Amino acid sequence: MRRLPFYYGWVVVAVTFVTMAIGVNARTAFSLFYPPILSEFGWERGITAGAFSFGFVVSGIMSPLIGRLMDRSGPRAVMELGVALMAGGLLLAPLTKEPWHLYLTIGVMVGAGSVCLGYSGQSFFLPNWFLRRRGLAIGIAFAGVGIGSVTLLPWVQHVIEQAGWRTACTAMGLMILIVLAPINLLLHKKPEDIGLRPDGEAAPSAAAAKPVSNIVDPVWAGTDWTLRRALSTARFWWISLGFFCGLYVWYAVQVHQTKFLLDIGFSPSVGVWSLGVVSLLGIPGQILLGHVSDRIGREWVWTASSLGFAICYATLIALKFTPSLWLVYFMVLTQGALGYGLTSVMGAVVLEIFQGRHYGSIFGTIMLAALAGGAAGPWATGLLHDITGDYTIAFVIGIMMSVLSAVAIWFAGPRQIRLVAGQLHRLKAAKG
């Protein structure tokens, strides 16, 4: 391969950025297709919205399978499978005449494709490309979701208004094929596959001083971690618990905050604005917290993000008694700028504990727990509202789940296996 004037890992980051911007928001666009589909067919809301929820179930089932495919065939196979599934689902969705058509296209095909193209699929391989700047690189790549939400979704809404939801679906499907299919051919699983080293560093010469290893626990790091072995460790289950709780609180507030704000007297424009600004604030939040995690450790950033969600839920409770616009601003800030930082360290947490040939299978199985949390959060929050008549108890549980998520990642302890670049001085001091 011809050498570039910069590290090829940044090409991987750029491809991931574009893929996330289009792939994740193509699934999110269902919320824009939902009203015109309801209007056209007159189906019950629950049946129609069930297509999106069913897609979440399919995502969870697919995650471990995609991990195995990543281990065997690498990211190009996984990403192109995702492109084929998602584009196929969106191109076939305009043929919908019965609810099951929607479940097959938007649910099964787009849902399965989103696992490949979204947070899970990218986290299978992107962390391999960086060591010292792993958090920063992932934060930049995942910020594509926020950029896509403020550029792509308004365009989709415009197409719907001008030409209908079918044309918008077709346009999205064609965009995925035309843009994502070719650029994902540029991906490789790890830098060693093309003769490079993580972070683009040159191979050390015989005369050079041996670099300080970031390994704290050589026995653990030297183990060939298969999925079976990982399942027998407490760390695997602590990570799974942390990820379950993390996505529980993320999706619970994302789904219910707009309705809550409307219920306590805010205008629809405030509800829509608050949801959009959360995604916008997530862009610098993910990049900054990813960078900070390279300096102080993954546990601290996961804790900061969990704290962001806990403060967000506490602010929502306060809004019930004091419906102030300033409190809405504060809720949005803590949720977007802090809470969304979770995604910048998810892949790194698992990789730094279970690095090896079977990382994809292990991460994919852990993401099954994470996606279960993402599905459980909105459902449990809605159920608690129906039982109690308001959201207070559900939001208190959100605070408790945020705390539990942070505690679980500390117990998993990636710092006890491998240190981040900013903490290597501890090893140097210990050996000196």
Side-chain angles (χ1 to χ4, degrees), residues 182-330:
I183 67 171
N184 275 286
L185 294 174
L186 298 172
L187 294 177
H188 296 275
K189 187 176 181 181
K190 54 186 186 295
E192 291 82 358
D193 291 344
I194 56 174
L196 300 175
R197 292 167 59 84
D199 292 307
E201 292 184 346
S205 64
K210 187 177 180 180
V212 176
S213 170
N214 69 332
I215 294 174
V216 179
D217 187 335
V219 175
W220 183 285
T223 301
D224 181 20
W225 288 108
T226 62
L227 177 59
R228 184 187 294 264
R229 286 197 184 103
L231 284 167
S232 67
T233 67
R235 281 195 167 99
F236 177 93
W237 296 105
W238 281 120
I239 299 171
S240 298
L241 177 62
F243 282 22
F244 176 92
C245 294
L247 264 68
Y248 179 104
V249 297
W250 183 318
Y251 282 99
V253 70
Q254 186 179 89
V255 170
H256 289 278
Q257 76 171 43
T258 302
K259 186 65 173 71
F260 170 76
L261 292 174
L262 294 175
D263 288 347
I264 61 174
F266 286 99
S267 67
S269 62
V270 171
V272 172
W273 165 87
S274 64
L275 197 59
V277 173
V278 166
S279 296
L280 197 60
L281 288 171
I283 299 169
Q286 286 170 315
I287 295 172
L288 179 60
L289 287 175
H291 174 65
V292 169
S293 78
D294 293 330
R295 308 267 66 81
I296 65 174
R298 316 304 179 195
E299 295 94 335
W300 286 109
V301 165
W302 191 277
T303 300
S305 296
S306 299
L307 179 62
F309 277 119
I311 295 172
C312 164
Y313 278 105
T315 307
L316 287 169
I317 295 172
L319 275 164
K320 178 184 175 183
F321 303 99
T322 311
S324 160
L325 200 55
W326 287 106
L327 281 179
V328 175
Y329 295 154
F330 185 63

Side-chain angles (χ1 to χ4, degrees), residues 2 23 30 84 107 123 147-148 163 172 182 187 225 239 293 309 331 342 362 375:
R2 184 180 176 184
F30 177 79
S123 294
I147 296 295
M172 285 293 300
L187 294 177
W225 288 108
I239 299 171
S293 78
F309 277 119
M331 181 273 293
L342 289 180
I362 296 168

Side-chain angles (χ1 to χ4, degrees), residues 11-324:
V11 174
V12 177
V13 169
V15 171
T16 302
F17 182 97
V18 176
T19 300
M20 297 281 282
I22 298 175
V24 173
N25 286 294
R27 184 183 182 186
T28 306
F30 177 79
S31 62
L32 304 179
F33 301 142
Y34 181 58
I37 290 174
L38 277 178
S39 178
E40 177 178 337
F41 293 106
W43 298 329
E44 292 182 5
R45 294 189 181 197
I47 290 175
T48 308
F52 184 80
S53 300
F54 185 63
F56 227 116
V57 175
V58 172
S59 298
I61 295 170
M62 286 288 292
S63 188
L65 303 178
I66 295 300
R68 292 191 182 94
L69 178 61
M70 180 69 73
D71 287 338
R72 293 175 183 174
S73 305
R76 278 181 285 189
V78 171
M79 294 303 134
E80 299 300 2
L81 174 63
V83 166
L85 287 169
M86 184 168 275
L90 288 167
L91 291 172
L92 290 172
L95 303 177
T96 294
K97 293 182 180 178
E98 301 290 340
W100 72 267
H101 297 161
L102 205 61
Y103 277 67
L104 177 62
T105 56
I106 299 294
V108 174
M109 296 181 72
V110 174
S114 71
V115 181
C116 304
L117 302 179
Y119 292 103
S120 298
Q122 311 299 337
S123 294
F124 285 130
F125 67 95
L126 183 58
N128 295 332
W129 284 86
F130 296 86
L131 289 176
R132 290 184 292 103
R133 293 173 287 186
R134 181 174 285 162
L136 173 63
I138 296 173
I140 292 172
F142 286 5
V145 176
I147 296 295
S149 70
V150 298
T151 55
L152 193 63
L153 295 183
W155 170 74
V156 172
Q157 182 61 40
H158 175 73
V159 175
I160 291 172
E161 292 171 356
Q162 296 298 314
W165 71 271
R166 286 182 167 83
T167 301
C169 269
T170 302
M172 285 293 300
L174 290 173
M175 176 184 290
I176 289 169
L177 279 177
I178 293 168
V179 177
L180 299 189
I183 67 171
N184 275 286
L185 294 174
L186 298 172
L187 294 177
H188 296 275
K189 187 176 181 181
K190 54 186 186 295
E192 291 82 358
D193 291 344
I194 56 174
L196 300 175
R197 292 167 59 84
D199 292 307
E201 292 184 346
S205 64
K210 187 177 180 180
V212 176
S213 170
N214 69 332
I215 294 174
V216 179
D217 187 335
V219 175
W220 183 285
T223 301
D224 181 20
W225 288 108
T226 62
L227 177 59
R228 184 187 294 264
R229 286 197 184 103
L231 284 167
S232 67
T233 67
R235 281 195 167 99
F236 177 93
W237 296 105
W238 281 120
I239 299 171
S240 298
L241 177 62
F243 282 22
F244 176 92
C245 294
L247 264 68
Y248 179 104
V249 297
W250 183 318
Y251 282 99
V253 70
Q254 186 179 89
V255 170
H256 289 278
Q257 76 171 43
T258 302
K259 186 65 173 71
F260 170 76
L261 292 174
L262 294 175
D263 288 347
I264 61 174
F266 286 99
S267 67
S269 62
V270 171
V272 172
W273 165 87
S274 64
L275 197 59
V277 173
V278 166
S279 296
L280 197 60
L281 288 171
I283 299 169
Q286 286 170 315
I287 295 172
L288 179 60
L289 287 175
H291 174 65
V292 169
S293 78
D294 293 330
R295 308 267 66 81
I296 65 174
R298 316 304 179 195
E299 295 94 335
W300 286 109
V301 165
W302 191 277
T303 300
S305 296
S306 299
L307 179 62
F309 277 119
I311 295 172
C312 164
Y313 278 105
T315 307
L316 287 169
I317 295 172
L319 275 164
K320 178 184 175 183
F321 303 99
T322 311
S324 160

